[in-house]
Amino acid sequence: MRFLFNYITRLLLIVLMVAPTLITAQKLIYKDASLPIEDRVNDLLNRMTVEEKVGQMLMFGAQRVARKGKDGSLVITDWGKPYFTNGLGGLKFPFQKETPEESARLNNELQKKIIASNRFGIPALFVGEAYNGVDAKGCTSFGRPLNLAASWNVNLTHDVWSAIGRESRLRGWHMVHSPVGDIARDPRFGRMSEGYGEDTFLTTEMLVAAVTGVQGDYNGTGFNTSHIGAVVKHFAGYSQVVGGRNFAAVEVSPRVLLDELLPPFKTAVQRGHALAIMPSHGDINGVASHGNPWLLTDLLRKQWGFNGYVVSDAYDVGRLNFLMKVAENIEEAVKLGLKAGVDLDLYSEDVYELLPEMVKKDPSLLPYIDRAAGDMLRTKFIMGLFDNPYIDVEETKKGVRSKENLSLAKEMDEESMILLKNENQILPLNKKESRKIALIGPLLGEDTKEAFESVAGDKVSFVAEKGYELTNRNSKHPELTPRNDAALDKMVELAKDADVSILFVGGDRFTAQEATFFKWVIGDRATIEPVGVQDELIQRVKALGKPVIVVLKHRRTLSFNVINDNADAVLDCWEMTEFGDELVAKVLFGEFSPSGKLPVTVPRTIGQIPYHYSMKEISFFKDYLFLESGPLYPFGYGLSYSKFSYSQPKLTSDILERDGTIQVTVDVMNTGKVTAKEVVQMYIKDMFGSVLRPDKELKGFEKIELKPGETKTVQFTITPDMLVFTGVEMKPIIEAGDYEVMLGTSSQEYQKTSFRLK
């Protein structure tokens, strides 16, 4: 009996000794990839200290934490080492200046170090930017987002951003602070080319294509780990700053906010499943966006169902105190940002880091910390970083700057160039005709002449002269270069000796850039005319009596009246890819027909601003003294080397039921002599409303290709949802009544029909 007692006692002791290990193993839910993500998030969150949770709420510039040593090894800085113990939310621009392969290798090593240094093995997010493709050494250089808007090609936009997503992931990045959902209506604003133009519908469709592309068609489940997450910004109304000046106040009506500025973000969340949101530097009705619980919690999370993370724009939680002046001290700023819904504080080392001490005095902050850390962890689980945090460097070598991506860049150039003017059909130029062409102007590139020679062949000869730089190319404080009469004379002399002159004019990247928080870094403008002596240059060349073709390169809308009046042809290129000059040469010599359309209205003068096609009808009632009526070029405008005719649109019914749909069709025929693409645009006008309504609104578009003599029928479906707007009581409504439908080639050239909503 004693023997049995001793045996049972020893057995119990063994069970008690083993039990903690078994229980611990059973409780490691967060490590089990087969379990639901929310279970993994909650399990890990419950194990973490406040300090570890706050660690997930911090993101620093990677250079402060890690760098490449002289021998190519990973070096962790003394400043960065203490942060590894509690884990980090992320790092911005890790190894941005290294080659893709070096970046992948070093990011693998850095991630391994971060995972090994914190007790739960939590990986960090490595984050970049993507305005012209991945903003890092050795990646494919694409054009600006506004170029994609000019293409009016949703599939192309998706594919370009998919390439950006793949190239980002292959260098070891997991998110980009892109794309931009801001509506760009003020060309004084230096960042207007980061978005998709002035229109809500076009921006929405392009933004969703960008988000789904960069995220690998993530639909809320089963993230594609070959891609990255999107951080959609700047939420919301950012580009509506007064005077077009970065960091200025935002003055928009609640109705404009709801009907025009918020829809792209809502759709990016609900259709695009964006993983993160960045608030605006600005305010809405006086409430700072980074301290706005209605915006970041009630609207974004509760109404729209967003469950990603919200990251501050650089330093903006702290700026609630020292810029916005809505918090009397940093601690108050921390509370405002955290409670409003900001999960991750970008760059600051003295803001959210205060939380562990603050929560000791105010335990009510803990649920907000849990929410923020949970949002960060959830994103990392979704992206598969806990299970597969590293990059195959061999894949990096094959996947970055692949033939497919370089071909895609060329396609972006081809689709986005806009032919604004072509008097006497001077374009396309004839390769078979012997002539001398002068390539001149301050936007001429180093390799432009070589690109034109490779395209044009032997019978056409070229002379080239840049003349001068527009600016001193100082990124912090650009200044215009002094007048250079010798340079002007030299360009005119070249034009005098040539048969045709092609002028490369507009604006360089320093004449339209982000104006940062530091006062000496400016990028917004008070005027929108071409700077310097560009008007004089084209007038002198035109006076020679020979054809003048303008290639317009720029990042902001320009009122280029003098250039337009003196040019025989104008090709609007915005800011193109690394292959831009090659594709410009090809389109000028007729290898394809231009098919881009304006994603913005081009005003005649800054005095017309605000000026966009979808303003309220009464805004177009009166013109200005001493100014020609209308814009220089309207929204949606763009010529072709061919001609298109539109039939009268047909409706399947002239009555739209509240729960029904109707289809509208139009026949489009290529009546010209070359194969070309056309963007068929559908606008709808509410003829009478309980509040003042827009003159017209874009509600559909499709890009089609037609051979000479070919006709295609284009169909759009009209739904009641298209007619919803914010009514008198500031609630979404739809009103019975008459609506006009316009189908055509621009916002000012169309065929129309009408229907009635019952």
Side-chain angles (χ1 to χ4, degrees):
M1 194 68 163
R2 179 177 295 272
F3 170 78
L4 182 60
F5 176 80
N6 290 337
Y7 176 78
I8 293 173
T9 301
R10 285 196 300 271
L11 186 61
L12 286 171
L13 287 172
I14 292 171
V15 169
L16 289 172
M17 291 173 64
V18 173
T21 304
L22 293 173
I23 293 170
T24 300
Q26 291 172 351
K27 286 186 177 180
L28 291 181
I29 293 172
Y30 79 94
K31 287 192 173 184
D32 189 343
S34 68
L35 295 175
I37 285 177
E38 288 306 312
D39 291 350
R40 300 178 75 184
V41 170
N42 292 331
D43 179 66
L44 180 52
L45 201 60
N46 289 332
R47 298 173 184 274
M48 297 168 70
T49 65
V50 170
E51 289 76 12
E52 288 167 331
K53 292 172 183 176
V54 172
Q56 294 303 304
M57 300 165 63
L58 306 177
M59 178 176 286
F60 302 120
Q63 287 290 326
R64 302 198 69 187
V65 172
R67 58 181 175 82
K68 186 176 76 170
K70 292 182 179 180
D71 61 353
S73 62
L74 174 69
V75 176
I76 306 299
T77 66
D78 291 338
W79 185 91
K81 286 178 183 177
Y83 289 100
F84 282 34
T85 302
N86 289 326
L88 272 172
L91 295 172
K92 183 78 178 281
F93 286 135
F95 305 107
Q96 177 190 22
K97 297 180 180 180
E98 316 303 329
T99 66
E101 297 86 48
E102 288 178 305
S103 172
R105 175 181 64 82
L106 289 165
N107 279 324
N108 279 344
E109 293 180 26
L110 177 58
Q111 188 72 278
K112 186 175 181 180
K113 183 72 173 177
I114 290 171
I115 290 172
S117 298
N118 71 84
R119 65 192 184 115
F120 296 113
I122 303 173
L125 289 175
F126 295 161
V127 181
E129 303 265 9
Y131 294 122
N132 290 68
V134 184
D135 187 5
K137 180 179 179 180
C139 292
T140 306
S141 176
F142 291 102
R144 301 291 278 183
L146 200 54
N147 284 66
L148 285 170
S151 78
W152 293 62
N153 189 327
V154 173
N155 292 332
L156 173 64
T157 301
H158 174 277
D159 292 346
V160 166
W161 278 96
S162 180
I164 291 171
R166 292 194 302 273
E167 290 198 349
S168 296
R169 192 67 178 246
L170 286 171
R171 69 179 298 118
W173 290 1
H174 313 114
M175 309 283 291
V176 286
H177 288 162
S178 306
V180 169
D182 303 323
I183 303 295
R185 291 175 175 170
D186 191 336
R188 294 172 296 181
F189 187 53
R191 303 183 70 176
M192 74 169 297
S193 66
E194 295 176 11
Y196 296 99
E198 71 179 46
D199 181 66
T200 300
F201 184 81
L202 179 60
T203 296
T204 297
E205 295 306 304
M206 290 293 169
L207 183 64
V208 171
V211 171
T212 55
V214 82
Q215 294 192 161
D217 295 320
Y218 172 62
N219 62 3
T221 59
F223 192 84
N224 186 342
T225 55
S226 65
H227 285 66
I228 63 170
V231 183
V232 179
K233 63 185 186 183
H234 305 87
F235 188 55
Y238 175 50
S239 57
Q240 313 300 307
V241 285
V242 293
R245 292 165 296 166
N246 204 14
F247 293 100
V250 173
E251 301 289 351
V252 294
S253 73
R255 186 168 283 104
V256 168
L257 176 71
L258 294 172
D259 287 351
E260 301 176 39
L261 305 182
L262 290 177
F265 293 96
K266 180 180 181 180
T267 312
V269 168
Q270 295 185 338
R271 271 175 51 197
H273 304 283
L275 288 182
I277 292 287
M278 178 181 284
S280 159
H281 283 311
D283 67 289
I284 294 175
N285 196 27
V287 180
S289 293
H290 282 74
N292 191 336
W294 170 81
L295 181 71
L296 303 181
T297 298
D298 295 342
L299 182 69
L300 179 63
R301 289 181 166 98
K302 294 181 181 178
Q303 293 185 36
W304 294 356
F306 176 71
N307 70 344
Y309 71 85
V310 174
V311 53
S312 73
D313 208 337
Y315 302 104
D316 269 0
V317 174
R319 286 177 184 155
L320 294 172
N321 164 239
F322 58 83
L323 177 66
M324 309 296 280
K325 306 295 179 67
V326 296
E328 292 186 1
N329 51 54
I330 293 296
E331 287 82 1
E332 187 65 25
V334 170
K335 289 183 181 180
L336 278 176
L338 181 64
K339 290 184 177 181
V342 179
D343 299 316
L344 180 65
D345 186 30
L346 178 60
Y347 293 144
S348 304
E349 61 186 82
D350 55 358
V351 180
Y352 274 7
E353 280 195 64
L354 301 177
L355 278 168
E357 290 301 316
M358 290 176 63
V359 79
K360 292 177 182 178
K361 301 175 184 178
D362 184 1
S364 69
L365 296 175
L366 187 56
Y368 298 100
I369 294 172
D370 284 347
R371 179 216 67 219
D375 288 345
M376 294 303 301
L377 295 172
R378 181 183 304 107
T379 304
K380 294 176 181 182
F381 279 119
I382 288 172
M383 299 187 69
L385 294 185
F386 278 85
D387 312 306
N388 186 19
Y390 306 115
I391 300 300
D392 185 339
V393 180
E394 293 303 314
E395 290 298 317
T396 303
K397 294 177 182 178
K398 293 185 291 184
V400 177
R401 292 187 62 79
S402 65
K403 290 182 180 179
E404 293 78 9
N405 290 357
L406 299 179
S407 176
L408 199 58
K410 292 183 179 182
E411 183 182 353
M412 181 177 175
D413 284 337
E414 179 177 333
E415 294 270 322
S416 65
M417 285 183 283
I418 310 163
L419 183 61
L420 295 178
K421 187 177 182 180
N422 192 18
E423 287 192 351
N424 301 316
Q425 304 301 304
I426 187 174
L427 295 177
L429 300 172
N430 190 346
K431 294 182 183 181
K432 298 179 180 179
E433 182 180 344
S434 296
R435 60 171 67 181
K436 179 188 286 187
I437 297 178
L439 308 173
I440 57 178
L443 273 296
L444 189 73
E446 291 182 5
D447 302 321
T448 304
K449 182 171 178 286
E450 181 182 346
F452 271 73
E453 288 173 338
S454 68
V455 169
D458 297 333
K459 290 195 173 183
V460 183
S461 63
F462 296 92
V463 290
E465 177 59 44
K466 184 181 181 72
Y468 65 98
E469 294 281 0
L470 283 181
T471 66
N472 62 0
R473 303 179 69 81
N474 184 320
S475 60
K476 291 184 177 179
H477 197 147
E479 294 181 0
L480 296 179
T481 54
R483 180 185 177 90
N484 188 333
D485 287 317
L488 272 173
D489 292 344
K490 188 173 183 180
M491 287 186 284
V492 174
E493 283 301 313
L494 256 64
K496 185 184 298 184
D497 192 42
D499 299 300
V500 177
S501 293
I502 302 178
L503 271 64
F504 292 78
V505 293
D508 66 15
R509 67 183 181 89
F510 303 98
T511 61
Q513 64 176 7
E514 178 180 359
T516 68
F517 182 71
F518 305 103
K519 288 187 176 181
W520 61 85
V521 183
I522 57 177
D524 308 312
R525 283 187 60 196
T527 61
I528 57 172
E529 290 75 26
V531 298
V533 294
Q534 296 181 89
D535 286 353
E536 181 181 341
L537 172 62
I538 193 169
Q539 287 174 320
R540 290 181 62 180
V541 173
K542 180 66 174 179
L544 300 173
K546 300 176 181 181
V548 179
I549 298 165
V550 165
V551 174
L552 196 64
K553 297 183 177 182
H554 54 125
R555 282 187 174 186
R556 69 167 85 245
T557 305
L558 296 172
S559 292
F560 56 101
N561 298 279
V562 174
I563 290 173
N564 187 67
D565 291 343
N566 286 275
D568 295 285
V570 177
L571 185 70
D572 191 1
C573 300
W574 290 90
E575 183 173 302
M576 305 176 75
T577 78
E578 59 187 281
F579 302 105
D581 285 342
E582 175 190 339
L583 272 296
V584 168
K586 286 183 175 180
V587 75
L588 293 183
F589 281 98
E591 292 194 15
F592 60 89
S593 177
S595 62
K597 300 280 188 176
L598 282 171
V600 294
T601 299
V602 181
R604 298 180 185 276
T605 169
I606 195 171
Q608 291 175 298
I609 295 172
Y611 197 44
H612 52 277
Y613 88 93
S614 58
M615 293 192 297
K616 297 179 180 68
E617 182 179 351
I618 60 170
S619 298
F620 299 106
F621 184 58
K622 288 288 185 180
D623 291 323
Y624 291 97
L625 282 170
F626 321 124
L627 183 70
E628 187 176 344
S629 177
L632 185 61
Y633 288 105
F635 176 84
Y637 180 86
L639 300 175
S640 169
Y641 290 158
S642 196
K643 298 287 184 182
F644 301 98
S645 67
Y646 282 71
S647 70
Q648 180 66 28
K650 296 179 181 179
L651 292 165
T652 53
S653 172
D654 58 4
I655 298 295
L656 177 61
E657 302 286 349
R658 291 284 180 132
D659 57 353
T661 63
I662 55 177
Q663 281 71 46
V664 58
T665 58
V666 64
D667 293 333
V668 183
M669 181 180 182
N670 183 346
T671 59
K673 298 179 180 179
V674 298
T675 298
K677 294 179 180 179
E678 167 71 337
V679 179
V680 184
Q681 303 161 41
M682 179 181 75
Y683 298 87
I684 295 180
K685 178 183 179 69
D686 186 353
M687 302 304 292
F688 297 92
S690 55
V691 299
L692 274 67
R693 302 289 288 122
D695 183 57
K696 62 177 72 73
E697 296 175 287
L698 181 71
K699 294 296 182 181
F701 61 89
E702 183 177 343
K703 196 166 194 175
I704 60 173
E705 184 173 42
L706 295 170
K707 298 175 182 177
E710 183 181 4
T711 299
K712 285 187 178 179
T713 299
V714 178
Q715 176 176 293
F716 298 102
T717 298
I718 300 173
T719 67
D721 287 345
M722 292 180 176
L723 313 179
V724 174
F725 64 95
T726 301
V728 174
E729 297 181 355
M730 296 307 297
K731 296 179 180 179
I733 63 169
I734 180 171
E735 292 183 339
D738 294 324
Y739 293 83
E740 197 168 73
V741 186
M742 294 151 272
L743 284 89
T745 188
S746 78
S747 62
Q748 287 191 356
E749 187 177 347
Y750 45 76
Q751 301 287 343
K752 60 187 180 181
T753 184
S754 61
F755 67 91
R756 184 171 182 81
L757 177 67
K758 287 185 67 175

